[in-house]
Amino acid sequence: MPRGQCRGQGWWHGKFRGCGYRITLGREAVLDVLSSCGGHLSAEDIFIKVHSKYPNVGFTTIYRTLDVLCGLGMVCKLDFGDGRARYELAEGPKGARHHHHLVCTGCNKVIDYTDFIDEEVDLLRQTEKGLEKKYNFKINDHVIQFYGLCDKCRKEGGKDAGF
Amino acid sequence: MPRGQCRGQGWWHGKFRGCGYRITLGREAVLDVLSSCGGHLSAEDIFIKVHSKYPNVGFTTIYRTLDVLCGLGMVCKLDFGDGRARYELAEGPKGARHHHHLVCTGCNKVIDYTDFIDEEVDLLRQTEKGLEKKYNFKINDHVIQFYGLCDKCRKEGGKDAGF
DNA sequence: CTCCTTATTGAAAATGGTTTCCATTACCAA
DNA sequence: TTGGTAATGGAAACCATTTTCAATAAGGAG
Ligand SMILES: [Mn+2]
Ligand SMILES: [Mn+2]
Ligand SMILES: [Zn+2]
Ligand SMILES: [Zn+2]
């Protein structure tokens, strides 16, 4: 990741400018972290990573940037019920596939799964259509998550972090 | 709802005592509100209702009671992404059926639906089984929610309360 | 390149739902 | 009735997130 001159040609710069947003170091750094590290990072996770490289990017900017990115549909804000939001790239240069989440309530590990997505999405679409008609709703989004205990946490006794 | 002498014979008292919990006025009042009013109440909603009848039941007790009730599986804690938890009776004397939620991001109205539950539950069970095997998880719970705009909010222009 | 407008920023304070503390109260088994 | 202890309420603490506001810097115009 070259420094000074990497500004101005990221894959997302076009979309970004097109919406009237300025390209700043903070925003660049956040996007950088999101695409290099895996998903499901909290604002704090992101802040720490960004801060280690650019110590004068503040926490507020992290939140504000994530907000903008969510607004643009470039980032998904996730809620696994542990009191802090998580963020993941909606689709990067490599185009992350649509997936759902399996969350361990013991250690908060999150698994992306795509195995059963097709059937799920089928049913979902069908359900959404039915619900839209019956309740006259315009459905924009859905959340499907499974909660449980991972292999390791199951063995360590049934203690459950709750959620 | 008779006053003083209704203590001691609620449908839930048995279960409650069996687990070593004491039966108190606060707990009784919370359960009362949950079963008389519909579901999806926030802790504050519940506090206000309880407080209007028993002004010396504190906010803390509401939270603590809801926690206990969740622990016993008598109440479900719901998260619709608006920053406050909601609660609903898991199954009352009338035995509320399992259902999923349709949430309006405009006015926060929540609709319980059971229409497509059967197909959903079928697929869910299947998916859970697959996931458990593949990832060696013990799945305890799932969340399925649809977000969108209700009839009214759709007409009032596309403003979206976000979530 | 330089200037200028104004979007963006960082630090600190505010917010708001929820939890913790701790001295006091009141269930309820014996 | 009584004693041990679970439960309580009020205030303070917590903690992720948001707001405020003066200072800064992106980037189009010239
Ligand atoms: Mn994911
Ligand atoms: Mn419901
Ligand atoms: Zn785990
Ligand atoms: Zn609405």
XYZ file of all heavy atoms in Angstrom, chain B residues 27-68:
327
model
N -42.663 -7.783 39.777
C -42.672 -8.840 38.768
C -44.076 -9.108 38.275
O -44.316 -9.309 37.078
C -42.051 -10.105 39.363
C -40.552 -9.957 39.504
C -39.918 -11.059 40.315
N -38.472 -10.908 40.315
C -37.640 -11.659 41.009
N -38.106 -12.631 41.784
N -36.347 -11.445 40.954
N -45.000 -9.098 39.237
C -46.383 -9.324 38.881
C -46.864 -8.233 37.911
O -47.492 -8.518 36.892
C -47.221 -9.282 40.162
C -48.515 -9.994 40.060
C -48.694 -10.910 41.281
O -48.402 -10.469 42.424
O -49.115 -12.054 41.084
N -46.493 -7.012 38.244
C -46.948 -5.887 37.432
C -46.374 -5.950 36.024
O -47.079 -5.682 35.043
C -46.551 -4.575 38.105
N -45.121 -6.298 35.910
C -44.497 -6.380 34.586
C -45.198 -7.437 33.742
O -45.565 -7.201 32.584
C -43.001 -6.717 34.708
C -42.426 -7.072 33.344
C -42.241 -5.543 35.298
N -45.407 -8.589 34.329
C -46.065 -9.671 33.603
C -47.490 -9.272 33.223
O -47.982 -9.620 32.145
C -46.076 -10.911 34.496
C -45.535 -12.231 33.963
C -44.784 -12.078 32.666
C -44.638 -12.852 34.999
N -48.107 -8.530 34.109
C -49.454 -8.048 33.861
C -49.493 -7.166 32.627
O -50.330 -7.347 31.744
C -49.890 -7.224 35.071
C -51.216 -7.677 35.583
O -51.417 -8.901 35.667
O -52.044 -6.795 35.897
N -48.588 -6.219 32.588
C -48.532 -5.297 31.446
C -48.250 -6.061 30.167
O -48.896 -5.861 29.138
C -47.449 -4.222 31.661
C -47.179 -3.472 30.366
C -47.876 -3.263 32.752
N -47.289 -6.975 30.245
C -46.917 -7.728 29.044
C -48.074 -8.551 28.504
O -48.215 -8.717 27.298
C -45.733 -8.640 29.333
C -44.378 -7.955 29.332
C -43.304 -8.882 29.845
C -44.041 -7.477 27.927
N -48.896 -9.076 29.400
C -49.979 -9.902 28.860
C -51.219 -9.097 28.510
O -51.957 -9.507 27.611
C -50.311 -11.069 29.784
O -50.338 -10.683 31.114
N -51.413 -7.970 29.163
C -52.610 -7.202 28.807
C -52.368 -6.326 27.574
O -53.188 -6.288 26.670
C -53.108 -6.376 29.985
O -52.139 -5.429 30.376
N -51.254 -5.619 27.555
C -50.950 -4.833 26.355
C -50.363 -5.777 25.316
O -49.902 -6.851 25.642
C -49.930 -3.752 26.669
S -50.327 -2.825 28.141
N -50.345 -5.360 24.071
C -49.733 -6.192 23.035
C -48.238 -6.282 23.255
O -47.700 -5.746 24.222
N -47.569 -6.946 22.344
C -46.124 -7.120 22.490
C -45.321 -5.920 22.030
O -45.843 -4.829 21.853
N -44.012 -6.122 21.903
C -43.110 -5.104 21.361
C -42.996 -3.868 22.201
O -42.853 -2.774 21.676
C -43.516 -4.723 19.935
C -43.952 -5.866 19.099
N -45.036 -5.811 18.293
C -43.446 -7.098 18.972
C -45.193 -6.974 17.673
N -44.233 -7.776 18.078
N -43.080 -4.009 23.510
C -42.951 -2.847 24.380
C -41.493 -2.672 24.793
O -40.800 -3.643 25.054
C -43.818 -3.006 25.631
C -45.325 -3.004 25.405
C -45.812 -4.394 25.084
C -46.037 -2.459 26.629
N -41.089 -1.416 24.868
C -39.749 -1.130 25.360
C -39.778 -1.131 26.881
O -40.847 -1.073 27.493
C -39.287 0.232 24.860
O -40.073 1.252 25.442
N -38.601 -1.171 27.482
C -38.538 -1.146 28.937
C -39.240 0.107 29.455
O -39.939 0.070 30.459
C -37.083 -1.178 29.388
N -39.061 1.194 28.735
C -39.694 2.436 29.166
C -41.210 2.347 29.081
O -41.921 2.760 29.998
C -39.190 3.607 28.313
C -39.667 4.936 28.839
C -39.209 6.099 27.961
O -38.751 5.851 26.824
O -39.317 7.247 28.411
N -41.712 1.812 27.957
C -43.161 1.609 27.819
C -43.689 0.877 29.039
O -44.689 1.273 29.641
C -43.473 0.742 26.589
C -43.130 1.430 25.280
O -43.076 2.683 25.251
O -42.889 0.714 24.288
N -43.008 -0.203 29.356
C -43.459 -1.037 30.461
C -43.376 -0.278 31.776
O -44.287 -0.312 32.594
C -42.617 -2.327 30.530
C -42.838 -3.150 29.257
C -42.974 -3.143 31.761
C -41.899 -4.322 29.086
N -42.277 0.449 31.943
C -42.115 1.219 33.177
C -43.262 2.205 33.361
O -43.841 2.315 34.441
C -40.790 1.978 33.155
C -40.649 2.951 34.283
C -40.452 2.502 35.594
C -40.733 4.314 34.063
C -40.332 3.393 36.641
C -40.618 5.216 35.106
C -40.413 4.759 36.397
N -43.602 2.910 32.296
C -44.668 3.918 32.385
C -45.986 3.281 32.802
O -46.667 3.770 33.706
C -44.810 4.654 31.040
C -43.579 5.545 30.823
C -46.072 5.490 31.005
C -43.516 6.195 29.468
N -46.317 2.174 32.157
C -47.558 1.486 32.501
C -47.538 1.000 33.948
O -48.488 1.213 34.703
C -47.768 0.275 31.584
C -47.893 0.649 30.124
C -49.246 0.309 29.580
C -49.306 0.618 28.090
N -50.654 0.968 27.633
N -46.453 0.346 34.299
C -46.358 -0.190 35.656
C -46.401 0.952 36.661
O -47.097 0.902 37.678
C -45.059 -0.998 35.841
C -44.822 -1.313 37.309
C -45.130 -2.293 35.036
N -45.649 1.999 36.329
C -45.514 3.113 37.258
C -46.845 3.811 37.518
O -47.103 4.315 38.610
C -44.503 4.118 36.699
C -44.096 5.160 37.674
N -44.631 6.423 37.681
C -43.217 5.129 38.701
C -44.086 7.126 38.659
N -43.221 6.362 39.291
N -47.719 3.836 36.502
C -49.000 4.517 36.673
C -49.872 3.785 37.692
O -50.764 4.355 38.293
C -49.733 4.637 35.339
O -50.244 3.367 34.980
N -49.597 2.524 37.874
C -50.407 1.758 38.828
C -49.664 1.582 40.153
O -50.266 1.648 41.211
C -50.716 0.378 38.222
C -51.896 -0.325 38.866
C -52.298 -1.527 38.005
C -53.476 -2.290 38.584
N -53.817 -3.457 37.728
N -48.370 1.366 40.048
C -47.557 1.171 41.249
C -46.371 2.130 41.190
O -45.287 1.749 40.755
C -47.048 -0.264 41.319
C -48.143 -1.305 41.245
C -48.346 -2.046 40.088
C -48.975 -1.535 42.343
C -49.355 -2.993 40.011
C -49.987 -2.484 42.270
C -50.169 -3.207 41.108
O -51.175 -4.147 41.030
N -46.589 3.358 41.654
C -45.585 4.413 41.458
C -44.265 4.143 42.155
O -43.297 4.849 41.902
C -46.266 5.645 42.053
C -47.712 5.305 42.123
C -47.755 3.826 42.358
N -44.224 3.173 43.030
C -42.946 2.947 43.687
C -42.185 1.728 43.179
O -41.263 1.259 43.819
C -43.110 2.887 45.205
C -44.448 2.298 45.601
O -45.209 1.850 44.743
N -44.726 2.266 46.873
N -42.557 1.291 41.987
C -41.735 0.283 41.328
C -40.745 1.031 40.434
O -41.158 1.846 39.609
C -42.584 -0.677 40.477
C -41.688 -1.568 39.630
C -43.482 -1.522 41.370
N -39.480 0.774 40.642
C -38.454 1.546 39.931
C -38.085 0.989 38.570
O -38.404 -0.157 38.226
N -37.416 1.814 37.814
C -36.987 1.449 36.468
C -36.060 0.225 36.517
O -36.140 -0.689 35.702
C -36.229 2.612 35.831
C -36.552 2.796 34.377
C -36.813 4.061 33.876
C -36.610 1.721 33.502
C -37.129 4.241 32.542
C -36.922 1.906 32.168
C -37.178 3.169 31.687
N -35.184 0.233 37.491
C -34.231 -0.872 37.608
C -34.935 -2.212 37.719
O -34.495 -3.199 37.128
C -33.353 -0.670 38.838
O -32.974 0.702 38.904
C -32.132 -1.526 38.766
N -36.003 -2.219 38.467
C -36.735 -3.470 38.654
C -37.332 -3.951 37.342
O -37.379 -5.157 37.076
C -37.849 -3.278 39.701
O -37.229 -3.034 40.954
C -38.723 -4.507 39.809
N -37.764 -3.020 36.523
C -38.303 -3.401 35.217
C -37.224 -4.159 34.441
O -37.450 -5.273 33.961
C -38.731 -2.157 34.412
C -39.715 -1.301 35.211
C -39.308 -2.578 33.077
C -41.038 -1.954 35.464
N -36.061 -3.568 34.358
C -34.973 -4.229 33.626
C -34.634 -5.580 34.231
O -34.455 -6.570 33.536
C -33.728 -3.345 33.613
C -33.729 -2.322 32.515
C -33.890 -0.975 32.794
C -33.576 -2.707 31.184
C -33.892 -0.027 31.785
C -33.579 -1.767 30.166
C -33.743 -0.423 30.478
O -33.744 0.503 29.474
N -34.519 -5.580 35.562
C -34.126 -6.840 36.196
C -35.172 -7.917 35.980
O -34.849 -9.082 35.707
C -33.872 -6.605 37.681
C -32.464 -6.087 37.926
C -32.127 -6.042 39.404
N -32.918 -5.029 40.075
C -32.414 -4.171 40.957
N -31.139 -4.198 41.270
N -33.187 -3.294 41.542
N -36.418 -7.531 36.079
C -37.487 -8.501 35.897
C -37.495 -9.037 34.467
O -37.620 -10.241 34.245
C -38.845 -7.850 36.216
O -38.840 -7.439 37.577
C -39.974 -8.835 35.984
N -37.350 -8.139 33.517
C -37.339 -8.578 32.119
C -36.196 -9.549 31.879
O -36.332 -10.522 31.138
C -37.223 -7.357 31.197
C -38.492 -6.502 31.156
C -38.237 -5.183 30.442
C -39.628 -7.266 30.480
N -35.097 -9.281 32.535
C -33.948 -10.173 32.412
C -34.271 -11.567 32.930
O -33.981 -12.573 32.277
C -32.792 -9.594 33.236
C -31.537 -9.507 32.416
O -31.644 -9.159 31.223
O -30.458 -9.799 32.971
N -34.861 -11.602 34.097
C -35.244 -12.883 34.682
C -36.224 -13.611 33.770
O -36.068 -14.802 33.489
C -35.888 -12.668 36.069
C -36.539 -13.958 36.552
C -34.848 -12.191 37.063
